[in-house]
Amino acid sequence: MALALVATMCAGIFAGAAIYITLVEHPARLSCGTAIALREFGPSYRRATVMQAALAFFGTFAALDAWRQSGDARVLAGGLLLGAVVPFTLLVIAPTNRHLTSAALAPESDEALR
């Protein structure tokens, strides 16, 4: 029961942080202009990556262990969904984020605006 609670807590915090970034932080960042948004993105992204990766890791493994103990397929499904964010992020999101944090990207360029 405690592992399922840890997994649920990690998934909830992960989801809350993702929603906050999407609905609050990113629009506020963009409202400051492209150059400022790009400059702020790097430090914010690095800090968020540590938190989100830890939540995904611990939440997934807590869910898998809770499933092993309980046999509840819902816990397994939730854990696998939470764990799926890692490969999705590495394959789909990370290339864009690496480009945005690259020193070669000029903050005033049209490329940074896209």
Side-chain angles (χ1 to χ4, degrees):
M1 180 70 172
L3 287 170
L5 182 61
V6 168
T8 302
M9 183 182 74
C10 287
I13 295 169
F14 185 99
I19 291 168
Y20 174 81
I21 290 166
T22 302
L23 297 179
V24 178
E25 184 179 343
H26 188 64
R29 180 186 300 137
L30 290 177
S31 74
C32 295
T34 306
I36 292 172
L38 194 59
R39 204 164 89 219
E40 190 273 341
F41 176 75
S44 175
Y45 171 67
R46 283 186 289 279
R47 292 176 68 103
T49 298
V50 171
M51 182 186 75
Q52 295 287 85
L55 288 167
F57 177 81
F58 289 116
T60 298
F61 285 101
L64 292 176
D65 205 20
W67 166 72
R68 185 184 57 78
Q69 291 178 16
S70 71
D72 188 344
R74 296 171 299 179
V75 176
L76 175 62
L80 292 176
L81 282 172
L82 183 58
V85 237
V86 175
F88 176 79
T89 300
L90 292 174
L91 296 172
V92 178
I93 306 296
T96 300
N97 290 346
R98 273 194 298 277
H99 185 67
L100 288 172
T101 56
S102 168
L105 182 61
E108 302 81 19
S109 69
D110 286 338
E111 189 177 11
L113 184 58
R114 288 185 265 141

XYZ file of all heavy atoms in Angstrom:
833
model
N 0.825 -1.202 0.000
C 0.000 0.000 0.000
C 0.866 1.261 0.000
O 0.572 2.213 -0.695
C -0.929 -0.044 1.217
C -1.835 1.128 1.327
S -3.073 1.066 0.030
C -4.103 2.382 0.525
N 1.944 1.260 0.777
C 2.800 2.443 0.860
C 3.473 2.724 -0.480
O 3.613 3.887 -0.878
C 3.844 2.266 1.952
N 3.876 1.665 -1.200
C 4.518 1.870 -2.498
C 3.548 2.464 -3.508
O 3.932 3.319 -4.309
C 5.089 0.546 -3.018
C 6.337 0.054 -2.309
C 6.665 -1.371 -2.733
C 7.504 0.984 -2.601
N 2.310 2.009 -3.484
C 1.298 2.572 -4.382
C 1.068 4.043 -4.057
O 0.875 4.872 -4.963
C -0.002 1.785 -4.283
N 1.122 4.390 -2.791
C 0.966 5.786 -2.381
C 2.143 6.626 -2.880
O 1.953 7.731 -3.386
C 0.834 5.878 -0.862
C 0.606 7.277 -0.287
C -0.690 7.865 -0.813
C 0.583 7.217 1.220
N 3.360 6.098 -2.762
C 4.547 6.809 -3.257
C 4.441 7.001 -4.768
O 4.711 8.087 -5.298
C 5.845 6.048 -2.888
C 7.049 6.608 -3.628
C 6.071 6.090 -1.392
N 4.041 5.955 -5.475
C 3.901 6.041 -6.928
C 2.852 7.078 -7.316
O 3.070 7.892 -8.225
C 3.527 4.667 -7.500
N 1.743 7.075 -6.623
C 0.670 8.044 -6.907
C 1.128 9.464 -6.601
O 0.854 10.393 -7.368
C -0.584 7.699 -6.081
O -0.982 6.370 -6.408
C -1.716 8.654 -6.376
N 1.845 9.639 -5.505
C 2.359 10.959 -5.145
C 3.350 11.458 -6.203
O 3.271 12.616 -6.632
C 3.032 10.899 -3.774
C 3.524 12.250 -3.280
S 4.367 12.135 -1.687
C 5.903 11.401 -2.189
N 4.253 10.592 -6.632
C 5.221 10.991 -7.666
C 4.510 11.359 -8.966
O 4.851 12.373 -9.596
C 6.217 9.862 -7.928
S 7.424 9.616 -6.607
N 3.544 10.553 -9.363
C 2.803 10.837 -10.591
C 2.024 12.145 -10.466
O 1.970 12.942 -11.413
C 1.854 9.683 -10.916
N 1.435 12.399 -9.317
C 0.678 13.633 -9.112
C 1.553 14.872 -9.143
O 1.210 15.879 -9.774
N 2.689 14.806 -8.472
C 3.612 15.945 -8.480
C 4.161 16.162 -9.884
O 4.270 17.298 -10.360
C 4.749 15.744 -7.452
C 4.171 15.732 -6.037
C 5.805 16.839 -7.581
C 5.170 15.288 -4.969
N 4.497 15.062 -10.579
C 4.985 15.150 -11.955
C 3.952 15.850 -12.835
O 4.279 16.783 -13.576
C 5.278 13.743 -12.494
C 5.892 13.731 -13.857
C 7.254 13.584 -14.006
C 5.118 13.866 -15.000
C 7.842 13.573 -15.258
C 5.685 13.860 -16.250
C 7.054 13.714 -16.382
N 2.709 15.406 -12.752
C 1.645 15.991 -13.569
C 1.405 17.453 -13.198
O 1.242 18.307 -14.079
C 0.352 15.191 -13.401
N 1.404 17.756 -11.915
C 1.203 19.139 -11.484
C 2.297 20.056 -11.993
O 2.022 21.170 -12.460
N 3.538 19.598 -11.938
C 4.651 20.405 -12.437
C 4.535 20.609 -13.940
O 4.760 21.722 -14.450
C 5.982 19.744 -12.087
N 4.178 19.555 -14.668
C 4.035 19.668 -16.123
C 2.913 20.639 -16.493
O 3.060 21.463 -17.413
C 3.775 18.295 -16.731
N 1.819 20.582 -15.774
C 0.708 21.502 -16.038
C 1.113 22.937 -15.722
O 0.837 23.864 -16.491
C -0.547 21.079 -15.233
C -1.093 19.772 -15.798
C -1.607 22.175 -15.246
C -2.128 19.106 -14.922
N 1.793 23.136 -14.609
C 2.254 24.475 -14.233
C 3.194 25.049 -15.295
O 3.052 26.200 -15.713
C 2.954 24.438 -12.872
C 3.576 25.761 -12.515
C 2.789 26.785 -11.989
C 4.926 26.009 -12.733
C 3.346 28.012 -11.680
C 5.486 27.236 -12.427
C 4.691 28.232 -11.910
O 5.246 29.453 -11.615
N 4.148 24.252 -15.741
C 5.095 24.717 -16.753
C 4.356 25.099 -18.033
O 4.616 26.141 -18.630
C 6.179 23.652 -17.027
C 7.107 23.526 -15.818
C 6.976 23.984 -18.284
C 7.988 22.284 -15.839
N 3.417 24.254 -18.448
C 2.690 24.475 -19.693
C 1.754 25.677 -19.630
O 1.706 26.495 -20.551
C 1.872 23.215 -20.055
O 2.774 22.118 -20.174
C 1.113 23.406 -21.351
N 1.004 25.801 -18.542
C -0.029 26.838 -18.468
C 0.434 28.150 -17.844
O -0.183 29.191 -18.077
C -1.235 26.311 -17.682
C -1.954 25.113 -18.293
C -3.111 24.691 -17.403
C -2.422 25.403 -19.709
N 1.516 28.127 -17.051
C 1.924 29.324 -16.325
C 3.329 29.781 -16.715
O 3.513 30.884 -17.218
C 1.841 29.098 -14.799
C 2.304 30.319 -14.038
C 0.425 28.715 -14.392
N 4.320 28.931 -16.455
C 5.707 29.373 -16.626
C 6.053 29.680 -18.081
O 6.631 30.724 -18.377
C 6.679 28.331 -16.082
C 8.114 28.809 -16.169
C 9.117 27.828 -15.627
O 8.750 26.909 -14.888
O 10.291 28.002 -15.963
N 5.726 28.785 -18.998
C 6.108 29.003 -20.395
C 5.426 30.230 -21.012
O 6.110 31.062 -21.629
C 5.849 27.750 -21.229
C 6.391 27.848 -22.607
N 7.732 27.953 -22.875
C 5.761 27.899 -23.808
C 7.915 28.057 -24.180
N 6.738 28.017 -24.763
N 4.117 30.411 -20.840
C 3.506 31.633 -21.372
C 4.086 32.910 -20.747
O 4.289 33.911 -21.439
C 2.017 31.484 -21.037
C 1.810 30.021 -20.919
C 3.087 29.476 -20.343
N 4.374 32.874 -19.452
C 4.967 34.050 -18.801
C 6.353 34.319 -19.371
O 6.727 35.478 -19.618
C 5.047 33.827 -17.292
N 7.115 33.257 -19.573
C 8.460 33.387 -20.145
C 8.370 34.026 -21.532
O 9.115 34.953 -21.846
C 9.088 31.993 -20.232
C 10.464 31.945 -20.806
C 10.944 30.509 -20.987
N 10.991 29.785 -19.736
C 10.573 28.526 -19.584
N 10.073 27.851 -20.596
N 10.657 27.934 -18.426
N 7.472 33.543 -22.370
C 7.339 34.079 -23.731
C 6.864 35.532 -23.744
O 7.214 36.288 -24.640
C 6.388 33.210 -24.547
C 6.909 31.829 -24.922
C 5.836 31.046 -25.665
C 8.179 31.927 -25.752
N 6.076 35.910 -22.742
C 5.569 37.289 -22.707
C 6.677 38.309 -22.461
O 6.495 39.495 -22.689
C 4.479 37.431 -21.647
O 5.040 37.426 -20.351
N 7.839 37.838 -22.023
C 8.981 38.726 -21.766
C 9.804 38.994 -23.019
O 10.751 39.774 -22.976
C 9.884 38.117 -20.693
S 9.077 37.993 -19.097
N 9.472 38.329 -24.111
C 10.232 38.467 -25.348
C 11.125 37.254 -25.554
O 11.504 36.571 -24.605
N 11.474 37.028 -26.814
C 12.225 35.826 -27.175
C 13.591 35.758 -26.503
O 13.988 34.716 -25.988
C 12.388 35.744 -28.701
O 11.100 35.826 -29.310
C 13.046 34.450 -29.117
N 14.334 36.862 -26.498
C 15.694 36.842 -25.939
C 15.678 36.500 -24.452
O 16.461 35.657 -23.989
C 16.381 38.180 -26.174
N 14.785 37.125 -23.703
C 14.698 36.844 -22.260
C 14.172 35.429 -22.031
O 14.680 34.703 -21.175
C 13.813 37.891 -21.549
C 14.514 39.240 -21.568
C 13.500 37.467 -20.127
C 13.664 40.384 -21.073
N 13.176 35.018 -22.807
C 12.613 33.677 -22.660
C 13.682 32.611 -22.899
O 13.782 31.640 -22.150
C 11.451 33.486 -23.633
N 14.485 32.821 -23.926
C 15.531 31.858 -24.242
C 16.599 31.822 -23.150
O 17.061 30.749 -22.762
C 16.162 32.220 -25.591
C 17.038 31.176 -26.241
C 16.255 29.894 -26.484
C 17.589 31.710 -27.548
N 16.950 32.980 -22.623
C 17.953 33.041 -21.568
C 17.466 32.367 -20.274
O 18.223 31.726 -19.560
C 18.339 34.496 -21.301
C 19.720 34.613 -20.692
C 20.266 36.000 -20.771
N 19.848 36.717 -19.572
C 19.469 37.971 -19.555
N 19.440 38.677 -20.658
N 19.121 38.544 -18.432
N 16.200 32.509 -19.981
C 15.640 31.922 -18.760
C 15.376 30.428 -18.924
O 15.391 29.675 -17.957
C 14.334 32.653 -18.412
C 13.772 32.323 -17.043
C 12.876 31.103 -17.028
O 12.371 30.682 -18.089
O 12.681 30.536 -15.940
N 15.149 29.988 -20.162
C 14.783 28.595 -20.406
C 15.862 27.620 -19.952
O 15.558 26.596 -19.334
C 14.473 28.360 -21.892
C 14.175 26.928 -22.210
C 12.965 26.368 -21.859
C 15.126 26.122 -22.829
C 12.688 25.039 -22.129
C 14.860 24.793 -23.112
C 13.638 24.249 -22.758
N 17.114 27.899 -20.240
C 18.203 26.972 -19.907
C 18.256 26.594 -18.440
O 18.169 25.401 -18.091
N 18.376 27.571 -17.544
C 18.412 27.225 -16.113
C 17.122 26.559 -15.628
O 17.161 25.615 -14.843
C 18.621 28.572 -15.411
C 19.155 29.483 -16.449
C 18.637 28.992 -17.765
N 15.996 27.024 -16.124
C 14.719 26.439 -15.726
C 14.627 24.988 -16.197
O 14.214 24.102 -15.447
C 13.581 27.271 -16.327
O 12.338 26.677 -16.059
N 15.029 24.756 -17.433
C 14.981 23.409 -18.003
C 15.883 22.448 -17.228
O 15.486 21.329 -16.910
C 15.378 23.462 -19.478
C 15.558 22.119 -20.107
C 14.480 21.257 -20.293
C 16.817 21.683 -20.523
C 14.644 20.010 -20.872
C 16.983 20.446 -21.109
C 15.896 19.619 -21.285
O 16.069 18.379 -21.851
N 17.090 22.877 -16.906
C 18.018 22.005 -16.175
C 17.453 21.628 -14.802
O 17.523 20.472 -14.379
C 19.383 22.669 -16.040
C 20.202 22.597 -17.325
C 21.607 23.115 -17.149
N 21.672 24.556 -16.986
C 21.636 25.423 -17.983
N 21.511 25.000 -19.216
N 21.713 26.719 -17.744
N 16.883 22.600 -14.113
C 16.328 22.314 -12.774
C 15.090 21.418 -12.877
O 14.914 20.501 -12.085
C 15.987 23.618 -12.065
C 17.224 24.432 -11.702
C 16.838 25.760 -11.086
N 16.227 25.570 -9.798
C 16.835 25.786 -8.645
N 18.075 26.202 -8.628
N 16.205 25.599 -7.506
N 14.230 21.699 -13.839
C 13.016 20.895 -14.012
C 13.359 19.462 -14.423
O 12.691 18.514 -13.992
C 12.103 21.532 -15.054
N 14.397 19.302 -15.222
C 14.799 17.963 -15.666
C 15.166 17.079 -14.477
O 14.760 15.912 -14.414
C 15.988 18.052 -16.642
O 15.565 18.782 -17.788
C 16.463 16.684 -17.073
N 15.915 17.630 -13.543
C 16.317 16.853 -12.367
C 15.077 16.419 -11.578
O 14.935 15.248 -11.206
C 17.284 17.676 -11.476
C 17.539 16.975 -10.151
C 18.585 17.933 -12.217
N 14.172 17.352 -11.348
C 12.977 17.033 -10.570
C 12.079 16.033 -11.305
O 11.659 15.022 -10.732
C 12.179 18.299 -10.271
C 10.946 18.029 -9.423
S 9.888 19.453 -9.200
C 9.112 19.551 -10.788
N 11.803 16.298 -12.586
C 10.889 15.440 -13.335
C 11.479 14.039 -13.524
O 10.762 13.046 -13.426
C 10.557 16.061 -14.692
C 9.775 17.375 -14.602
C 8.336 17.180 -14.202
O 8.023 17.108 -13.016
N 7.460 17.126 -15.170
N 12.782 13.947 -13.790
C 13.408 12.638 -13.970
C 13.348 11.823 -12.669
O 13.054 10.620 -12.696
C 14.851 12.791 -14.433
N 13.620 12.481 -11.554
C 13.558 11.779 -10.264
C 12.140 11.299 -9.973
O 11.941 10.156 -9.529
C 14.054 12.692 -9.144
N 11.155 12.136 -10.231
C 9.764 11.736 -9.990
C 9.364 10.572 -10.893
O 8.708 9.622 -10.437
C 8.821 12.921 -10.213
C 8.879 14.009 -9.149
C 8.147 15.263 -9.631
C 8.293 13.510 -7.834
N 9.752 10.622 -12.164
C 9.424 9.533 -13.092
C 10.111 8.239 -12.663
O 9.497 7.168 -12.652
C 9.821 9.908 -14.516
N 11.376 8.336 -12.293
C 12.142 7.152 -11.880
C 11.550 6.513 -10.625
O 11.214 5.327 -10.613
C 13.610 7.543 -11.655
C 14.467 6.422 -11.156
C 14.973 5.485 -12.032
C 14.760 6.302 -9.803
C 15.764 4.436 -11.576
C 15.548 5.266 -9.335
C 16.045 4.329 -10.227
N 11.435 7.295 -9.562
C 10.946 6.737 -8.301
C 9.481 6.312 -8.402
O 9.095 5.280 -7.846
C 11.144 7.721 -7.146
C 12.586 7.880 -6.762
C 13.216 9.103 -6.905
C 13.317 6.809 -6.282
C 14.554 9.250 -6.572
C 14.651 6.934 -5.948
C 15.273 8.167 -6.094
N 8.672 7.096 -9.099
C 7.262 6.733 -9.263
C 7.074 5.452 -10.043
O 6.261 4.595 -9.679
N 7.842 5.295 -11.110
C 7.741 4.083 -11.925
C 8.167 2.855 -11.131
O 7.457 1.838 -11.108
C 8.600 4.209 -13.194
O 8.096 5.297 -13.975
C 8.579 2.937 -14.014
N 9.308 2.933 -10.470
C 9.780 1.762 -9.738
C 8.928 1.462 -8.507
O 8.742 0.297 -8.159
C 11.269 1.883 -9.422
C 12.091 1.637 -10.655
C 12.624 2.690 -11.363
C 12.268 0.355 -11.132
C 13.350 2.464 -12.527
C 12.988 0.110 -12.299
C 13.535 1.167 -12.993
N 8.384 2.476 -7.877
C 7.459 2.232 -6.757
C 6.200 1.539 -7.272
O 5.691 0.598 -6.642
C 7.104 3.544 -6.058
N 5.702 1.978 -8.431
C 4.501 1.355 -9.003
C 4.778 -0.088 -9.411
O 3.941 -0.976 -9.175
C 4.015 2.163 -10.203
N 5.936 -0.341 -10.017
C 6.261 -1.714 -10.418
C 6.388 -2.631 -9.203
O 5.918 -3.780 -9.229
C 7.547 -1.734 -11.252
C 7.451 -1.076 -12.622
C 8.811 -1.067 -13.300
C 6.405 -1.751 -13.488
N 6.992 -2.109 -8.146
C 7.109 -2.917 -6.925
C 5.739 -3.114 -6.268
O 5.434 -4.199 -5.768
C 8.101 -2.266 -5.958
C 8.724 -3.276 -5.005
O 8.703 -4.500 -5.310
O 9.229 -2.851 -3.956
N 4.923 -2.071 -6.286
C 3.566 -2.197 -5.725
C 2.755 -3.216 -6.531
O 2.002 -4.015 -5.964
C 2.865 -0.840 -5.723
N 2.910 -3.192 -7.841
C 2.218 -4.175 -8.691
C 2.705 -5.590 -8.390
O 1.921 -6.525 -8.293
C 2.433 -3.838 -10.164
C 2.044 -4.961 -11.072
C 0.774 -5.389 -11.361
C 2.926 -5.829 -11.781
N 0.820 -6.473 -12.204
C 2.134 -6.757 -12.485
C 4.308 -5.907 -11.897
C 2.674 -7.742 -13.295
C 4.852 -6.895 -12.709
C 4.039 -7.793 -13.391
N 4.016 -5.743 -8.226
C 4.592 -7.058 -7.916
C 4.003 -7.610 -6.617
O 3.703 -8.802 -6.518
C 6.110 -6.947 -7.806
C 6.817 -8.278 -7.617
C 8.307 -8.107 -7.407
N 8.662 -7.258 -6.277
C 8.629 -7.628 -4.998
N 8.229 -8.836 -4.677
N 8.982 -6.791 -4.040
N 3.794 -6.729 -5.663
C 3.259 -7.176 -4.376
C 1.748 -7.404 -4.408
O 1.236 -8.306 -3.745
C 3.588 -6.148 -3.288
C 5.057 -6.088 -2.949
C 5.361 -5.037 -1.899
O 4.475 -4.547 -1.209
N 6.641 -4.693 -1.764
N 1.037 -6.588 -5.184
C -0.422 -6.659 -5.157
C -1.035 -7.389 -6.346
O -2.143 -7.907 -6.241
C -1.012 -5.247 -5.101
O -0.827 -4.589 -6.352
N -0.356 -7.377 -7.475
C -0.924 -7.976 -8.675
C -1.971 -7.098 -9.342
O -2.617 -7.524 -10.303
N -2.147 -5.871 -8.881
C -3.159 -4.960 -9.427
C -2.673 -4.380 -10.750
O -1.722 -3.595 -10.804
C -3.432 -3.841 -8.418
C -4.613 -2.962 -8.805
O -5.044 -2.990 -9.969
O -5.102 -2.232 -7.910
N -3.348 -4.734 -11.829
C -2.956 -4.293 -13.172
C -3.058 -2.776 -13.336
O -2.338 -2.190 -14.151
C -3.808 -4.992 -14.224
N -3.919 -2.138 -12.584
C -4.047 -0.678 -12.680
C -2.771 0.013 -12.204
O -2.356 1.021 -12.769
C -5.247 -0.185 -11.865
C -6.581 -0.706 -12.396
C -7.696 -0.373 -11.458
N -7.428 -1.024 -10.165
C -8.203 -0.928 -9.099
N -9.287 -0.180 -9.160
N -7.910 -1.550 -7.984
N -2.152 -0.537 -11.179
C -0.893 0.022 -10.673
C 0.201 -0.177 -11.715
O 1.001 0.726 -11.973
C -0.504 -0.627 -9.320
C 0.844 -0.126 -8.842
C -1.576 -0.370 -8.272
N 0.215 -1.335 -12.346
C 1.184 -1.600 -13.407
C 0.985 -0.622 -14.563
O 1.955 -0.033 -15.060
C 1.052 -3.041 -13.913
C 1.928 -3.402 -15.121
C 3.407 -3.269 -14.776
C 1.595 -4.801 -15.604
N -0.248 -0.430 -14.985
C -0.532 0.486 -16.100
C -0.095 1.903 -15.769
O 0.532 2.582 -16.600
C -2.030 0.456 -16.437
N -0.399 2.364 -14.574
C 0.015 3.705 -14.165
C 1.519 3.854 -14.131
O 2.078 4.856 -14.588
N 2.204 2.849 -13.605
C 3.664 2.883 -13.548
C 4.288 2.885 -14.929
O 5.250 3.616 -15.191
N 3.740 2.083 -15.828
C 4.266 2.042 -17.186
C 4.018 3.357 -17.923
O 4.871 3.830 -18.691
C 3.678 0.865 -17.960
C 4.111 -0.517 -17.468
C 3.387 -1.616 -18.239
C 5.619 -0.683 -17.561
N 2.864 3.949 -17.700
C 2.583 5.261 -18.318
C 3.540 6.325 -17.797
O 4.059 7.146 -18.571
C 1.138 5.681 -18.060
C 0.085 5.019 -18.927
C -1.316 5.382 -18.438
C 0.263 5.437 -20.377
N 3.770 6.332 -16.506
C 4.711 7.299 -15.938
C 6.114 7.046 -16.477
O 6.822 7.985 -16.842
C 4.697 7.225 -14.406
C 5.591 8.226 -13.672
C 5.226 9.666 -14.038
C 5.480 8.012 -12.170
N 6.506 5.804 -16.577
C 7.830 5.472 -17.101
C 7.981 5.788 -18.578
O 9.084 6.064 -19.058
N 6.877 5.771 -19.315
C 6.921 6.044 -20.760
C 7.329 7.482 -21.072
O 7.768 7.777 -22.177
C 5.568 5.732 -21.390
N 7.205 8.368 -20.098
C 7.601 9.763 -20.336
C 9.097 9.872 -20.593
O 9.516 10.764 -21.316
C 7.269 10.711 -19.161
C 6.424 11.826 -19.561
C 6.748 10.033 -17.991
N 9.874 8.977 -20.022
C 11.334 9.073 -20.165
C 11.765 8.844 -21.614
O 12.407 9.717 -22.203
C 12.056 8.128 -19.176
C 13.554 8.134 -19.422
C 11.728 8.514 -17.743
N 11.411 7.714 -22.253
C 11.829 7.562 -23.649
C 11.190 8.597 -24.579
O 11.828 9.071 -25.518
C 11.413 6.140 -24.025
C 10.507 5.678 -22.957
C 10.762 6.516 -21.742
N 9.928 8.966 -24.302
C 9.287 9.995 -25.126
C 10.065 11.302 -25.048
O 10.330 11.944 -26.065
C 7.839 10.212 -24.670
C 7.160 11.331 -25.406
C 6.658 11.140 -26.680
C 7.043 12.588 -24.826
C 6.047 12.178 -27.371
C 6.437 13.629 -25.504
C 5.933 13.427 -26.783
N 10.451 11.685 -23.852
C 11.207 12.921 -23.672
C 12.555 12.840 -24.370
O 12.969 13.779 -25.051
C 11.393 13.229 -22.174
O 10.098 13.368 -21.586
C 12.194 14.503 -21.957
N 13.248 11.722 -24.200
C 14.573 11.580 -24.803
C 14.523 11.574 -26.327
O 15.397 12.142 -26.983
C 15.253 10.310 -24.297
C 15.639 10.319 -22.821
C 16.160 8.952 -22.397
C 16.670 11.405 -22.537
N 13.498 10.953 -26.897
C 13.415 10.828 -28.351
C 12.738 12.021 -29.033
O 13.131 12.401 -30.128
C 12.666 9.550 -28.727
C 13.336 8.246 -28.322
C 12.424 7.063 -28.572
C 14.655 8.076 -29.069
N 11.728 12.594 -28.400
C 10.922 13.618 -29.060
C 11.231 15.034 -28.568
O 11.395 15.951 -29.364
C 9.407 13.310 -28.884
C 8.547 14.375 -29.525
C 9.081 11.935 -29.455
N 11.322 15.217 -27.271
C 11.454 16.557 -26.695
C 12.902 17.011 -26.573
O 13.233 18.166 -26.825
C 10.782 16.600 -25.298
C 9.343 16.116 -25.369
C 10.866 17.983 -24.686
C 8.413 16.938 -26.191
N 13.797 16.120 -26.165
C 15.191 16.499 -25.885
C 15.916 17.148 -27.056
O 16.664 18.107 -26.834
C 15.968 15.299 -25.366
N 15.736 16.697 -28.305
C 16.443 17.379 -29.395
C 16.095 18.871 -29.499
O 16.986 19.710 -29.695
C 15.995 16.617 -30.653
C 15.646 15.250 -30.146
C 15.046 15.490 -28.782
N 14.853 19.212 -29.333
C 14.449 20.620 -29.366
C 15.041 21.378 -28.188
O 15.563 22.490 -28.345
C 12.910 20.738 -29.347
O 12.394 20.079 -30.494
C 12.465 22.188 -29.324
N 14.986 20.776 -27.005
C 15.525 21.447 -25.817
C 17.039 21.625 -25.902
O 17.565 22.645 -25.461
C 15.129 20.687 -24.559
C 13.648 20.826 -24.277
O 12.976 21.667 -24.851
N 13.140 19.990 -23.407
N 17.742 20.641 -26.471
C 19.191 20.805 -26.675
C 19.475 21.974 -27.611
O 20.403 22.745 -27.404
C 19.809 19.519 -27.227
C 20.228 18.543 -26.154
C 21.127 17.454 -26.697
N 20.481 16.630 -27.717
C 19.686 15.598 -27.462
N 19.439 15.248 -26.221
N 19.153 14.913 -28.438
N 18.668 22.092 -28.642
C 18.837 23.201 -29.583
C 18.567 24.545 -28.896
O 19.299 25.511 -29.100
C 17.912 23.012 -30.787
C 18.098 24.026 -31.850
N 19.252 24.116 -32.599
C 17.290 25.014 -32.286
C 19.143 25.120 -33.445
N 17.959 25.680 -33.279
N 17.523 24.601 -28.076
C 17.181 25.846 -27.388
C 18.230 26.246 -26.355
O 18.383 27.424 -26.050
C 15.818 25.721 -26.703
C 14.613 25.712 -27.632
C 13.346 25.388 -26.854
C 14.473 27.040 -28.360
N 18.943 25.287 -25.804
C 19.964 25.600 -24.802
C 21.363 25.712 -25.415
O 22.330 25.965 -24.697
C 19.987 24.540 -23.678
O 20.185 23.251 -24.255
C 18.689 24.568 -22.884
N 21.463 25.564 -26.725
C 22.746 25.651 -27.405
C 23.269 27.090 -27.396
O 22.522 28.043 -27.649
C 22.602 25.174 -28.854
O 23.737 25.507 -29.605
N 24.550 27.244 -27.133
C 25.171 28.577 -27.155
C 25.198 29.136 -28.570
O 25.303 30.357 -28.757
C 26.586 28.491 -26.593
N 25.071 28.281 -29.567
C 25.115 28.727 -30.962
C 23.810 29.401 -31.405
O 23.795 30.087 -32.430
C 25.412 27.537 -31.866
N 22.752 29.228 -30.659
C 21.463 29.814 -31.032
C 21.414 31.277 -30.621
O 21.492 31.598 -29.429
C 20.312 29.043 -30.380
C 18.896 29.503 -30.714
C 18.612 29.373 -32.214
C 17.883 28.694 -29.928
N 21.283 32.145 -31.592
C 21.223 33.582 -31.317
C 19.834 33.941 -30.789
O 18.823 33.629 -31.435
C 21.523 34.372 -32.581
N 19.744 34.583 -29.626
C 18.445 34.902 -29.027
C 17.563 35.791 -29.911
O 16.353 35.717 -29.822
C 18.807 35.643 -27.736
C 20.196 35.227 -27.437
C 20.856 34.952 -28.759
N 18.147 36.603 -30.761
C 17.372 37.499 -31.602
C 16.997 36.891 -32.953
O 16.330 37.531 -33.753
C 18.142 38.806 -31.859
C 18.521 39.578 -30.603
C 19.766 39.020 -29.929
O 20.560 38.293 -30.556
O 19.949 39.298 -28.735
N 17.417 35.668 -33.215
C 17.201 35.053 -34.524
C 15.754 34.592 -34.723
O 15.022 34.359 -33.752
C 18.138 33.863 -34.711
O 17.766 32.804 -33.849
N 15.368 34.469 -35.992
C 14.051 33.924 -36.321
C 13.945 32.474 -35.860
O 12.870 32.016 -35.473
C 13.796 34.009 -37.835
C 13.514 35.415 -38.300
O 13.105 36.251 -37.480
O 13.698 35.683 -39.506
N 15.053 31.773 -35.870
C 15.090 30.376 -35.449
C 14.717 30.242 -33.969
O 14.014 29.325 -33.576
C 16.485 29.799 -35.703
C 16.575 28.327 -35.513
C 17.939 27.777 -35.843
O 18.887 28.565 -36.036
O 18.060 26.550 -35.872
N 15.170 31.174 -33.135
C 14.836 31.143 -31.717
C 13.357 31.427 -31.499
O 12.751 30.918 -30.550
C 15.675 32.176 -30.961
N 12.771 32.212 -32.351
C 11.357 32.555 -32.237
C 10.467 31.352 -32.540
O 9.402 31.204 -31.957
C 11.025 33.719 -33.172
C 9.631 34.290 -33.127
C 9.307 34.769 -31.714
C 9.485 35.415 -34.127
N 10.907 30.484 -33.428
C 10.098 29.314 -33.818
C 10.110 28.320 -32.745
O 9.995 27.724 -32.034
C 10.622 28.667 -35.096
C 10.332 29.509 -36.293
C 10.731 28.828 -37.562
N 12.082 29.310 -37.880
C 13.037 28.557 -38.380
N 12.828 27.320 -38.636
N 14.213 29.043 -38.647
